[in-house]
């Protein structure tokens, strides 16, 4: 059996175990997330872990009648049809067969806009766990507790300006995520970094087997920084081809989503060339003093259950399930319309303190966590070893240039 299907089986088993303890009147929450290829089954499994711990937290602390989870893989058939088509099929199963009151788990930008549009028409409260810039704008039933691409771009550009990097190689996949990243970052760099030169190289995500030619162009350009805006599978292909072209490990690299936090996978696939990487992430760590009691429970339980620090994917899903459980308690109902009212009118305890969803046309329902730039200084660092290097007021360590990074 492939690793992809193993992830799906593990996710289903986690949910089945949790649901054995769910009461008759528990809030039904759908988890629509990637669990097989061509999506990112690792991200999907991490979302499920977070959702399960959110349901467990609600049960242990008597938050309303608890939560019952229903699972759908948004990638079923995606190797033959467009991801959006397969994801909406999963949404239909959750909404009309399982009759869920709310939805979480959307991680891929390629599926999210269609799922969000359908959920909006249904009046189904839906939490988005990815960085799509505009998916929640104008939609009253779409919520987000995670940062968008537009939120992270100014932070990344500010650090680039501080380091004095002006020759930027931006290598991007042709997916929705890759292109939205590249477009947003390129414009933000032009607006922020005086005299910046951007070599932008877009490549086809599907079917590509190496990026040697593209990284050869990068090597010829002689960049101060490699901006890796690839996605699942090709994010590591960029690194491998950059090594082959002589770009890494000597040139600084910044990646655009927090995949390095899956440290075991990261070092196994990136190798020594991964030392020195910088990436945007929610300001969160097991020893961060800003953790609330909710956050400490989550960190301790996740580490005991899964043997590692929890990454963003799990944290986001946990947050959203805990918020939904509190909203259902406030509503005194699992009815979608009543749940929607409670979400719009309430304040909810989370790992980072209170969260509210004040509606504006410009932001939609979006309560953004603090964003920082994380940094691995040495080969083999764990997520706990990563330091915050930007913004200055949040820094926990100095940036170490990869040409001098210790490889241990």
């Amino acid at each position: 059996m492939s690793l992809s299907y193993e992830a799906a089986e593990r996710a289903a088993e986690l949910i089945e175990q949790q649901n054995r303890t769910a009461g008759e009147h528990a809030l039904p929450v759908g988890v629509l997330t990637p669990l097989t290829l061509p999506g990112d089954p690792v991200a999907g499994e991490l979302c499920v872990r977070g959702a399960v711990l959110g349901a467990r937290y609600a049960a242990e602390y008597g938050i309303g009648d608890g939560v019952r989870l229903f699972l759908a893989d948004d990638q079923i058939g995606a190797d033959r049809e467009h991801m959006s088509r397969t994801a909406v099929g999963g949404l239909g199963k959750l909404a009309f067969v399982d009759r869920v009151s709310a939805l979480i788990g959307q991680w891929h930008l390629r599926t999210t806009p269609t799922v969000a549009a359908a959920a909006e028409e249904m009046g189904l409260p839906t939490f988005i766990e990815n960085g799509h810039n505009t998916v929640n704008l104008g939609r009253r039933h779409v919520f987000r507790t995670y940062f968008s691409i537009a939120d992270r771009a100014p932070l990344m550009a500010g650090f680039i300006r501080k380091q004095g990097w002006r020759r930027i190689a931006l290598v991007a996949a042709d997916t929705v995520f890759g292109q939205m990243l590249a477009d947003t970052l390129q414009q933000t760099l032009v607006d922020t970094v005086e005299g910046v030169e951007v070599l932008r190289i877009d490549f086809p995500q599907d079917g590509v087997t190496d990026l040697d030619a593209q990284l050869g162009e990068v090597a010829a350009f002689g960049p101060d920084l490699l901006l890796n805006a690839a996605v699942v599978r090709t994010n590591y292909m960029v690194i491998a081809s950059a090594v082959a072209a002589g770009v890494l490990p000597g040139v600084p690299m910044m990646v655009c989503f927090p995949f390095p936090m899956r440290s075991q996978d990261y070092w196994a696939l990136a190798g020594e060339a991964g030392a020195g990487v910088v990436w945007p992430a929610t300001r969160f760590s097991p020893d961060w003093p800003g953790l609330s009691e909710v956050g400490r429970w989550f960190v301790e339980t996740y580490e005991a259950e899964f043997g590692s620090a929890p990454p963003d994917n799990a944290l986001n899903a946990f947050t959203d399930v805990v918020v939904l459980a509190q909203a259902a308690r406030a509503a005194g109902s699992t009815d979608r319309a009543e749940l929607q009212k409670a979400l719009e009118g309430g304040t909810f305890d989370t790992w980072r303190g209170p969260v509210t969803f004040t509606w504006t046309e410009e932001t939609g329902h979006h309560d953004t966590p603090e964003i920082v730039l994380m940094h691995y200084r040495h080969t083999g660092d764990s997520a706990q070893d990563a330091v915050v290097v930007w913004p200055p007021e949040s820094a926990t360590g100095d940036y170490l240039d990869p040409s001098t990074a210790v490889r241990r």
Side-chain angles (χ1 to χ4, degrees):
M1 180 179 292
S2 72
L3 291 176
S4 174
Y5 285 100
E6 288 177 8
E9 286 202 349
R10 286 192 298 266
E13 184 177 353
L14 281 172
I15 283 183
E16 182 181 355
Q17 290 175 352
Q18 178 59 36
N19 283 347
R20 290 173 190 157
T21 65
E24 179 183 356
H25 301 294
L27 174 72
V29 174
V31 184
L32 180 65
T33 203
L35 290 168
T36 52
L37 297 174
D40 183 353
V42 174
E45 184 178 358
L46 292 172
C47 285
V48 170
R49 287 180 180 182
V52 165
L53 291 191
R56 188 184 305 176
Y57 180 85
E60 287 190 13
Y61 285 85
I63 302 176
D65 294 314
V67 175
R68 180 181 295 276
L69 298 169
F70 294 86
L71 182 63
D73 177 6
D74 66 14
Q75 298 298 296
I76 294 294
D79 56 339
R80 300 181 301 277
E81 298 186 77
H82 193 279
M83 280 187 184
S84 293
R85 160 68 180 84
T86 64
V88 170
L91 171 62
K93 178 261 185 189
L94 293 169
F96 297 112
V97 177
D98 300 321
R99 306 298 302 176
V100 299
S101 299
L103 185 74
I104 71 160
Q106 276 298 277
W107 198 80
H108 281 299
L109 273 71
R110 279 191 274 185
T111 64
T112 298
T114 308
V115 168
E120 182 74 6
E121 289 188 32
M122 295 175 186
L124 178 66
T126 297
F127 280 76
I128 301 301
E129 278 105 28
N130 67 38
H132 196 292
N133 280 346
T134 60
V135 70
N136 59 318
L137 303 188
R139 292 184 170 128
R140 295 302 294 254
H141 298 282
V142 177
F143 299 81
R144 177 156 47 187
T145 59
Y146 186 55
F147 57 81
S148 72
I149 289 170
D151 295 324
R152 75 189 78 174
L155 193 74
M156 296 167 73
F159 184 71
I160 290 168
R161 179 178 60 191
K162 173 66 175 179
Q163 295 302 317
W165 296 327
R166 288 185 171 82
R167 292 176 66 80
I168 313 299
L170 174 54
V171 182
D174 67 351
T175 65
V176 176
F177 180 72
Q179 293 301 289
M180 188 174 290
L181 264 173
D183 291 346
T184 307
L185 280 170
Q186 187 169 6
Q187 186 59 56
T188 306
L189 287 169
V190 169
D191 294 341
T192 305
V193 181
E194 185 176 355
V196 71
E197 298 178 65
V198 179
L199 171 68
R200 176 168 169 177
I201 300 174
D202 296 339
F203 64 86
Q205 169 74 10
D206 297 331
V208 66
T209 57
D210 69 66
L211 295 168
D212 291 351
Q214 290 86 345
L215 270 297
E217 290 183 53
V218 170
F221 177 65
D224 298 328
L225 173 70
L226 171 61
L227 265 177
N228 182 345
V231 294
V232 178
R233 184 180 68 91
T234 58
N235 50 358
Y236 289 108
M237 201 177 289
V238 167
I239 296 173
S241 291
V243 171
V247 176
L248 295 179
V251 173
M253 178 176 67
M254 185 181 292
V255 303
C256 300
F257 68 99
F259 68 88
M261 295 185 76
R262 309 174 197 169
S263 57
Q264 290 182 331
D265 289 341
Y266 179 75
W267 294 115
L269 295 169
E272 291 188 355
V277 68
V278 175
W279 70 91
T282 301
R283 188 183 184 190
F284 165 81
S285 68
D287 56 359
W288 179 47
L291 285 179
S292 68
E293 291 184 10
V294 180
R296 286 193 292 273
W297 182 96
F298 175 62
V299 166
E300 292 169 4
T301 306
Y302 190 98
E303 289 182 340
E305 187 90 4
F306 303 110
S308 66
D312 274 10
N313 315 73
L315 177 65
N316 299 337
F318 170 79
T319 303
D320 297 342
V321 170
V322 169
V323 167
L324 284 165
Q326 293 174 71
R329 177 179 61 186
S333 171
T334 61
D335 176 76
R336 294 173 186 173
E338 294 302 314
L339 189 64
Q340 175 77 22
K341 291 178 186 177
L343 286 168
E344 290 186 323
T347 299
F348 308 101
D349 294 329
T350 73
W351 64 272
R352 56 183 168 94
V355 162
T356 59
F357 298 104
T358 302
W359 168 265
T360 72
E361 289 289 346
E362 293 75 26
T363 64
H365 287 308
H366 190 186
D367 191 306
T368 308
E370 183 181 356
I371 315 166
V372 295
L373 295 185
M374 304 295 295
H375 174 47
Y376 281 149
R377 295 188 286 188
H378 311 295
T379 301
D381 279 354
S382 68
Q384 292 97 316
D385 297 323
V387 296
V388 176
V389 291
W390 195 259
E393 63 271 18
S394 301
T396 61
D398 295 329
Y399 173 71
L400 183 62
D401 187 280
S403 64
T404 60
V406 177
R407 288 165 175 81
R408 61 191 183 194

